[in-house]
Every structure is written in C-alpha cells, then in structure tokens.
C-alpha cells in the first residue's frame, strides 16, 4: 500500500517550501543535463525520456524550462517525429516571449522554421526564419543573422525543388522551369549569397563551404551549369581543407552532374570515378551503386557501350545486395540498352525479361509497359535473325531505350542549420550535420 502523498509546496512553511523547490530544481536540471548528454552521444530516444522526466519534475527557472523545450524539439526532430518537434518548439517560442528573451525567441523561431520546412509548410517556415533574421539583426547577432539567412535560403530551395517535382515538365532538363519555380530558386540563391558574404566577414570557412555547395545546387537547378561548377569547386576545396570526405564526395558528384549538361562527358566521368572511390572509402554502398549508375550513363553518352555495361552490371550487383528492387530494375533496363547499342539482342532480351519481371513485382506500371514492348521487339528481331532471309545487322528501331537519367539529375547535399539550445548554456546553437539527398534515376539513393 502506497504511503501518503507528499505535501504540496504551497502547504509547507517558508523554509520547507524553499528546500522542496531547491530539490526539484536540482532534480530537473540533473535530468535535463543527462538528456543533453545522451543526445550529444546520439541516443535521442533515451535523451527524450530524460527531458520528458525533467518537464514532469518541473522548475521555477523559466529559462531552463525553455532550454529543455528546445532540446526536446531538436531530439524529436532527429527522431523524425516532426509533429512532436513542432509542438515543443512552439512551447519554447511562447515561453521565450513570456519572459522577454529576444535571443531565445530568435532561436525558437529558427527551429520552428526548420521543422516547418521539413513538413513541407514552406510559407510558414519562411515567416519563422524571417523573424529569426529580424531579431538577430535587431540584437546585432551576426552569427544568428548568418544562420537565419542560410535557413531562409534552404526554405526557398526546398520549396523550389518541391514545385519542380510537381511541375508538368519535371522530367525535363534543369533550367526548363515554370516562372514560379524559377522565382523561388532565385530567392534561394539571393539568401545564400547574403549568407556567404556574411560568413566570409565572420571568417567561418565551414559555413562558406555549405553556402558554396547550396549555391552550386541552386544554380544547377536554374540551368546555370557553368556557375554551378564554379561554386562546387569552391565547395570541394573547403571540404578537402576540413578533411570532410562526405562533403567532398557530394561535390564530386555534383560536378559530374553539371558537366554532363555542359556536354563535357569525359570530365563528368572523371568526377564520377572520384565519387565512386570516396563512396567505397566511406563504405556507403547506396552511393557506390549510384556512382556506378552515373558512370554507366556517362559512358553511354561517350558511346563506350562495353564500359557502360560494366558499370551497370556493378550497379545491378550492389542493388541486389541491398535488396533494392527498383534499382535492380533500372540496372536491368540500362543493361538492355547497352547490349542493344552493341548489337547483341540475345543478351539484351535476358535483361529486358528481368526488367519486366521486377516491374511486375514492384507495381511499376510504366516500367512494365516499356519492358513488355522491349521484350516483344527483341523477340521479333531474334526471330528474324534466325530466318533464312536474316539481315546481317538487327533492326532495333522499335526498341524503347531508357532515358539516360530516368529524369532530371538533381544535386546532392542540401545542408541546413538548426539552433540547438543547450541546458547548461543558454542560448546555445548547434550546427546540424549535412543532410545529403541524392536523387538520380536509380532507386538506390542516399538518405
């Protein structure tokens, strides 16, 4: 049987109440600090449990409570529970306003903006990030101003990509954009330029690297491929300076993409080879598969079909290892293309049939229809080749080849900055690591 509940603090005489509050404060702070330690170690789930316990214990120090709300929001963000993250960042914002903490309000606004961006609520995100910017400028906080400019750029960048995916011409080349998409991406570029100017003034080389990378990505989407290569080369140099192999790999990949559209296929192939080499060093099989796919397509453009087939076969083997059925289907389709180009319809038919089987299994209706047509055409050609009147060269005019990239090549690696309010140091800001997104035609993609 449980004992009687302890008396509420207001029922105790003055000294006793103060002692109880003191124990509560100590307990709340200890729990919060343990939660912060766990999150820094990467154990966000356990960290959340400690932060939630700290909230339950409670504290009279509203700045500490605000920091805990901020930490909970960030931890839930990392756990991809964006609804909960939004809830706690809103609590943080309300509390910061209640106690008149302008820097805390700026930080909470930035975190809300980043969370709303991930949720696809771009207009609301822009409002929050703009508020972060305004307060940072008001307070003379140059570092906060730079981060706000960068995050506004990210909001418009993400919105522009989303609009381009939804547009009717989404499968066309970069630069062929509806006016609203172009305008949105130009806004992203403007904010990244302002960010770059400020972080140069601050001497923040790491932030310069991120700005150069995203300027390269934005100009790529706008079809400004020469400008994109200039920015990505700057990004590459800074990645090497910091020994950041993941950023270096992204820069090589993005340089390869841009050179494809500049018609410099030989240069693109060299950049993709460096991407492949780094993906192996990083032991990232998904990116290795993508690099092989890109190399296969580039050698097709160079009309070196033997090497194209070699890289597509390597892509196929990795996709099978990763149980990536979509990537496996794309590889089979590409291998069929390569063998058709080499005038070897029997081998092409083997891969066309495999592409058909996979498309049926995964419900890829477009792939299934294309594979059906290709199988029929190849069977017709092979039938003619076995007839007495067979011509020396097979007629494969009816074969439907896969578009070399299965759609537009999108750039790799959008980095964003989140404000991480530490419990022990308020306000504190933590730069979120780069979140790389690699969406080429293969089903194998980096998260």
């Amino acid at each position: 049987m449980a004992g009687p509940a302890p008396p509420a603090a207001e029922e105790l005489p003055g000294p006793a109440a103060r002692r109880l509050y003191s124990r509560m404060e100590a307990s709340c702070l200890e729990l919060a600090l343990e939660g912060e330690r766990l999150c820094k170690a990467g154990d966000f789930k356990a960290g959340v449990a400690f932060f939630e316990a700290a909230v339950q214990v409670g504290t009279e120090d509203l700045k500490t409570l605000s920091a805990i709300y901020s930490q909970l929001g960030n931890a839930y963000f990392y756990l991809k529970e964006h609804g909960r993250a939004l809830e706690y960042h809103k609590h943080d914002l309300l509390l910061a306003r209640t106690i008149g903490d302008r820097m805390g309000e700026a930080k909470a606004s930035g975190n809300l903006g980043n969370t709303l961006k991930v949720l696809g609520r771009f207009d609301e995100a822009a409002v929050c990030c703009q508020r972060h910017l305004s307060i940072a400028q008001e307070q003379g906080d140059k570092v906060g101003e730079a981060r706000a400019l960068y995050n506004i750029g990210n909001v418009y960048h993400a919105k522009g990509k989303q609009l381009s995916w939804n547009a009717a011409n989404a499968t066309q080349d970069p630069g062929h954009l509806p006016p609203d998409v172009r305008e949105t991406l130009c806004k992203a570029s403007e904010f990244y330029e302002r960010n770059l100017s400020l972080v140069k003034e601050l001497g923040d080389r790491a932030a310069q690297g991120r700005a150069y990378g995203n300027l390269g990505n934005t100009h790529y989407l706008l079809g400004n491929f020469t400008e994109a290569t200039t920015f990505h080369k700057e990004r590459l140099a800074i990645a090497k300076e910091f020994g950041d192999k993941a950023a270096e790999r992204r820069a090589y990949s993005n340089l390869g993409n841009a050179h494809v559209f500049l018609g410099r296929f030989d240069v693109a192939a060299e950049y993709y080879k460096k991407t492949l080499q780094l993906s192996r060093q990083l032991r990232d099989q998904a990116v290795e598969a993508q690099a092989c796919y890109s190399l296969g397509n580039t050698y097709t453009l160079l009309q070196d079909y033997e090497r194209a087939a070699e890289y597509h076969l390597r892509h196929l083997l990795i996709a099978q290892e990763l149980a990536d059925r979509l990537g496996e289907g794309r590889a089979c389709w590409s291998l069929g293309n390569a063998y058709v180009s080499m005038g070897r319809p029997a081998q092409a038919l083997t891969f066309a049939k495999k592409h058909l089987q996979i498309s049926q299994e995964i419900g890829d209706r477009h792939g299934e229809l294309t594979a059906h047509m290709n199988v029929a055409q190849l069977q017709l050609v092979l039938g003619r080749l076995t007839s007495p009147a067979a011509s020396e060269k097979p007629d494969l005019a009816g074969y439907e080849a896969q578009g070399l990239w299965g759609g537009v090549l999108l750039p790799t690696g959008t980095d964003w900055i989140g404000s991480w309010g530490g419990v022990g140091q308020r306000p504190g800001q933590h730069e979120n690591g780069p979140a790389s997104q690699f969406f080429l035609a293969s089903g194998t993609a980096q998260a």
Side-chain angles (χ1 to χ4, degrees):
M1 182 175 174
E10 60 270 18
E11 297 172 3
L12 295 173
R18 284 194 295 272
R19 285 197 298 274
L20 177 58
Y21 277 130
S22 178
R23 285 199 300 273
M24 287 171 61
E25 294 290 343
S27 177
C28 177
L29 186 58
E30 286 165 6
L31 288 165
L33 289 171
E34 179 61 14
E36 184 175 46
R37 186 192 67 77
L38 288 163
C39 286
K40 285 180 177 178
D43 191 348
F44 297 104
K45 193 169 181 180
V48 160
F50 275 90
F51 284 132
E52 296 275 16
V55 171
Q56 288 298 315
V57 169
T59 175
E60 292 296 299
D61 184 342
L62 297 184
K63 282 201 169 186
T64 296
L65 184 59
S66 175
I68 293 169
Y69 284 151
S70 178
Q71 293 275 32
L72 271 166
N74 285 323
Y76 274 121
F77 187 98
Y78 277 98
L79 291 169
K80 301 190 187 300
E81 294 186 40
H82 299 121
R84 298 297 302 279
L86 193 66
E87 175 189 340
Y88 279 107
H89 286 315
K90 283 181 177 177
H91 288 330
D92 185 24
L93 178 62
L94 180 60
L95 201 49
R97 285 176 170 168
T98 300
I99 61 179
D101 180 1
R102 292 292 279 167
M103 294 293 281
E105 184 179 348
K107 176 189 62 63
S109 297
N111 284 333
L112 272 171
N114 286 331
T115 307
L116 287 163
K117 183 198 75 174
V118 172
L119 291 168
R121 293 159 62 176
F122 301 116
D123 294 339
E124 294 172 78
V127 169
C128 291
C129 291
Q130 187 64 54
R131 185 167 59 241
H132 181 196
L133 175 62
S134 298
I135 298 172
Q137 289 171 331
E138 166 202 303
Q139 298 290 315
D141 176 11
K142 292 289 188 182
V143 173
E145 182 181 349
R147 287 175 171 172
L149 287 167
Y150 186 81
N151 285 336
I152 297 171
N154 281 348
V155 170
Y156 284 117
H157 192 175
K159 182 179 181 181
K161 286 195 289 187
Q162 185 65 53
L163 289 171
S164 70
W165 293 336
N166 295 338
N169 68 344
T171 59
Q172 295 182 10
D173 292 348
H176 295 230
L177 301 168
D180 60 332
V181 179
R182 179 166 290 277
E183 180 184 354
T184 302
L185 290 171
C186 283
K187 281 184 181 177
S189 181
E190 288 168 18
F191 280 103
Y192 287 141
E193 289 277 12
R194 289 172 63 186
N195 166 260
L196 178 60
S197 176
L198 188 49
V199 295
K200 280 183 176 179
E201 181 186 323
L202 294 169
D204 187 342
R205 290 289 285 164
Q208 289 171 45
R210 287 189 297 273
Y212 280 126
N214 280 331
L215 277 164
N217 290 345
T218 308
H219 278 282
Y220 173 89
L221 291 172
L222 287 165
N224 305 329
F225 303 118
T226 300
E227 291 88 341
T229 60
T230 300
F231 286 121
H232 283 309
K233 283 176 182 177
E234 292 284 354
R235 206 290 169 256
L236 176 62
I238 294 174
K240 287 181 174 179
E241 184 182 317
F242 281 87
D244 185 346
K245 294 296 185 183
E248 188 180 340
R249 192 274 304 162
R250 290 196 301 274
Y252 281 131
S253 180
N254 287 330
L255 281 163
N257 294 350
H259 278 90
V260 165
F261 285 98
L262 287 170
R264 299 288 309 279
F265 306 134
D266 53 340
V267 178
E270 292 308 307
Y271 281 124
Y272 286 139
K273 284 177 185 175
K274 289 178 178 177
T275 304
L276 179 59
Q277 181 182 6
L278 279 171
S279 69
R280 286 173 176 162
Q281 285 181 27
L282 294 166
R283 302 190 179 202
D284 189 332
Q285 277 194 301
V287 177
E288 183 182 348
Q290 189 61 70
C292 290
Y293 183 84
S294 297
L295 278 163
N297 290 335
T298 306
Y299 278 112
T300 296
L301 291 167
L302 288 165
Q303 298 184 9
D304 186 343
Y305 303 116
E306 292 280 357
R307 292 186 80 177
E310 176 190 331
Y311 281 110
H312 284 308
L313 184 59
R314 286 160 73 177
H315 173 208
L316 174 62
L317 293 173
I318 298 170
Q320 288 172 336
E321 271 189 58
L322 296 174
D324 174 11
R325 295 294 276 166
L326 179 60
E328 192 178 343
R330 294 280 184 176
C332 289
W333 192 357
S334 299
L335 281 160
N337 294 346
Y339 283 116
V340 164
S341 298
M342 286 187 276
R344 292 156 65 179
Q347 289 95 325
L349 179 60
T350 299
F351 288 107
K353 285 180 176 178
K354 186 66 176 174
H355 178 216
L356 174 59
Q357 177 193 340
I358 293 170
S359 297
Q360 288 171 332
E361 285 177 13
I362 65 175
D364 178 2
R365 183 65 178 153
H366 173 69
E368 183 181 349
L369 290 171
T370 303
H372 262 303
M373 287 189 290
N374 288 341
V375 167
Q377 180 65 19
L378 287 164
Q379 287 175 332
L380 181 63
V381 167
L382 286 166
R384 287 175 182 165
L385 287 174
T386 56
S387 69
S391 63
E392 291 184 9
K393 186 175 180 180
D395 177 12
L396 290 162
Y399 184 90
E400 183 172 336
Q402 178 185 9
L404 283 175
W405 306 103
V408 66
L409 278 153
L410 289 186
T412 304
T414 300
D415 301 297
W416 65 274
I417 295 175
S419 301
W420 188 269
V423 174
Q425 184 177 3
R426 179 77 167 102
Q429 293 191 306
H430 173 78
E431 177 190 314
N432 217 16
S436 178
Q437 297 175 337
F438 199 59
F439 298 111
L440 296 188
S442 168
T444 309
Q446 179 180 355

